Amino acid sequence: MSYFVNNTLRLVRELRDESLAGLPDRLWSIARPKLLNLVEEVGHKTGLGSLVARSYRGHGISLMFHEIQNDVDTELRTGCSAAQLASAIEALKATGRDIVTIDESLARLQDLSSRPFALLTFDDGYRDNVSNALPVLEKYNAPMTLFVPTGMVDRTLKAWWLALRHMIQTSDTFEVPGMNKQFETQDLASKTGAMRSVTGWIGSSQSRADHILECFAQSGWAMAQLVARYAMDADELREFAEHPLVTIGAHTQTHRFLSNLDADTVHSELAGNKAFLEELLQRPIRYFAYPYGSEGACGQREADIAKAVGFEASFTTRPGHIFTEHQENLHLLPRIDVGYAPQSSAALASRLSGLHRAMTTGLGSPVATLA
């Protein structure tokens, strides 16, 4: 049975189980992304998207990736393929942007007569960034920045998203006690649906993420082994960092939601990670990316701490382009996630043009939140 049919059946099951009071909100949650996709398709095919989004196009743009997977379906579409990375690079070049280092981007941000730029950033330190992403980057001579948490390298990270994926991959039914919901996970559509649903439920709550970790521990799997399956170790990271296209940035010690932590712990998370990477790689670590990076996961408090720790610029996941106004606060820079699969050419084009931000903000401010 096709993915489309299975996905439709999954939605029917979920609607059947929904209360009458919650049905309108659930229907809208299904319809809204479909409507946005339709607008993106029309905008892409007619050229109107670029016209509408003209004021949303900044001098710079930062794209975010995580895993560059061999088989995106096996990994429940939580990353993208090397071919999709290549398509994103070609699309960037077609818009007239140069792919540059963060150093160069900050210089160009001060000179609007310079050519528009793009950044390629990768989070967490996955081994497939070496095997699958690097050959693509070499082909296009495209520099990248990899933001690495300490716990990925030393295998201490409580990577709830890896645990969640593993449990769904290996189960025909899946239940999250804190969510009070059981999922049928017998095909790709239901597995990816469960992955999205639970991830959305977690939001920016560390206590909800801990529910996943508890389920994983009770199932008898070893977190260190799971992290080791996917992430670079210290020797691999050292070798990767020597590549001329690669810059290493920081990503905290434990990859927790910083907004859930007190200020002293946040400072320790950032400073400890910076010191760990500098000792390991024998070079300054000048840039930082917030785990999760949403408005619920980090804000001005975290930006002030990042600056105090000594980072020169820090990146969120608040979608939008980079404008000269962002020089007012280089520690809340926007990034756009294009590293998920599947992704249509229209969806990518809307993010590169600024149309996606125009739509999702209701034609609000082109400049993603500075504070």
Side-chain angles (χ1 to χ4, degrees):
M1 202 177 294
S2 71
Y3 181 90
F4 174 79
V5 172
N6 282 326
N7 199 41
T8 302
L9 292 173
R10 176 186 66 84
L11 291 173
V12 169
R13 287 196 302 270
E14 291 184 5
L15 290 174
R16 182 191 60 202
D17 296 336
E18 187 66 65
S19 67
L20 285 176
L23 194 56
D25 287 343
R26 181 63 181 134
L27 287 170
W28 175 239
S29 73
I30 295 170
R32 185 175 184 272
K34 306 298 183 188
L35 290 172
L36 292 177
N37 290 345
L38 178 60
V39 172
E40 287 177 335
E41 289 289 343
V42 171
H44 182 52
K45 289 178 179 176
T46 63
L48 289 174
S50 295
L51 260 163
V52 171
R54 190 160 42 188
S55 64
Y56 290 81
R57 180 182 166 92
H59 195 55
I61 189 172
S62 179
L63 301 186
M64 177 176 67
F65 300 87
H66 286 80
E67 294 171 86
I68 308 300
Q69 300 161 340
N70 290 319
D71 186 338
V72 295
D73 285 350
T74 296
E75 301 296 353
L76 307 189
R77 302 186 173 185
T78 50
C80 72
S81 65
Q84 185 170 315
L85 171 61
S87 294
I89 292 173
E90 290 177 356
L92 279 172
K93 290 181 173 293
T95 65
R97 294 189 184 276
D98 297 331
I99 300 173
V100 302
T101 63
I102 298 178
D103 286 351
E104 175 65 17
S105 75
L106 296 181
R108 291 196 188 193
L109 199 58
Q110 298 178 44
D111 178 12
L112 294 184
S113 66
S114 61
R115 284 177 56 82
F117 65 85
L119 299 172
L120 300 179
T121 69
F122 295 72
D123 286 5
D124 297 342
Y126 295 103
R127 190 174 288 110
D128 60 25
N129 289 181
V130 181
S131 58
N132 296 340
L134 188 56
V136 176
L137 300 172
E138 290 174 330
K139 175 182 176 181
Y140 293 98
N141 194 32
M144 61 91 81
T145 300
L146 175 67
F147 296 109
V148 185
T150 302
M152 274 293 209
V153 181
D154 68 12
R155 309 316 196 208
T156 61
L157 196 70
K158 304 302 182 185
W160 63 263
W161 59 96
L162 295 182
L164 173 63
R165 182 173 69 190
H166 185 72
M167 288 187 289
I168 293 174
Q169 283 172 323
T170 56
S171 304
D172 287 336
T173 60
F174 179 70
E175 183 176 0
V176 181
M179 198 177 180
N180 297 318
K181 185 171 183 178
Q182 181 170 294
F183 297 90
E184 299 292 329
T185 51
Q186 298 172 358
D187 54 63
L188 177 61
S190 60
K191 288 179 184 293
T192 58
M195 190 78 194
R196 287 192 301 269
S197 182
V198 178
T199 301
W201 171 75
I202 289 170
S204 58
S205 169
Q206 188 62 48
S207 63
R208 289 184 172 182
D210 289 342
H211 275 293
I212 303 302
L213 296 173
E214 290 166 12
C215 291
F216 184 79
Q218 290 167 6
S219 299
W221 288 301
M223 179 62 74
Q225 291 178 3
L226 187 60
V227 171
R229 180 189 301 177
Y230 289 100
M232 297 182 215
D233 62 21
D235 290 338
E236 290 169 319
L237 183 60
R238 280 195 203 96
E239 182 178 356
F240 191 54
E242 292 299 324
H243 196 286
L245 292 176
V246 174
T247 297
I248 302 299
H251 203 40
T252 74
Q253 296 265 59
T254 63
H255 203 287
R256 288 180 288 172
F257 297 96
L258 296 180
S259 59
N260 292 179
L261 307 175
D262 62 66
D264 288 344
T265 304
V266 173
H267 189 282
S268 177
E269 282 278 339
L270 274 60
N273 181 219
K274 188 174 192 293
F276 171 84
L277 292 170
E278 288 179 341
E279 173 66 23
L280 179 68
L281 304 176
Q282 293 297 295
R283 69 192 65 192
I285 301 297
R286 299 163 54 205
Y287 304 114
F288 172 70
Y290 304 95
Y292 313 104
S294 65
E295 292 191 22
C298 63
Q300 189 60 52
R301 182 192 71 156
E302 288 73 30
D304 291 341
I305 293 172
K307 183 176 181 180
V309 164
F311 294 115
E312 296 174 27
S314 307
F315 293 83
T316 69
T317 60
R318 302 174 191 184
H321 289 204
I322 301 174
F323 291 84
T324 185
E325 288 91 335
H326 284 107
Q327 292 182 93
E328 299 171 21
N329 193 343
L330 291 175
H331 292 284
L332 286 174
L333 294 172
R335 280 195 301 168
I336 301 174
D337 185 2
V338 297
Y340 56 88
Q343 184 182 67
S344 69
S345 56
L348 177 61
S350 78
R351 284 152 179 78
L352 300 188
S353 70
L355 177 62
H356 182 260
R357 179 168 179 83
M359 291 190 303
T360 55
T361 62
L363 299 179
S365 170
V367 182
T369 311
L370 290 173

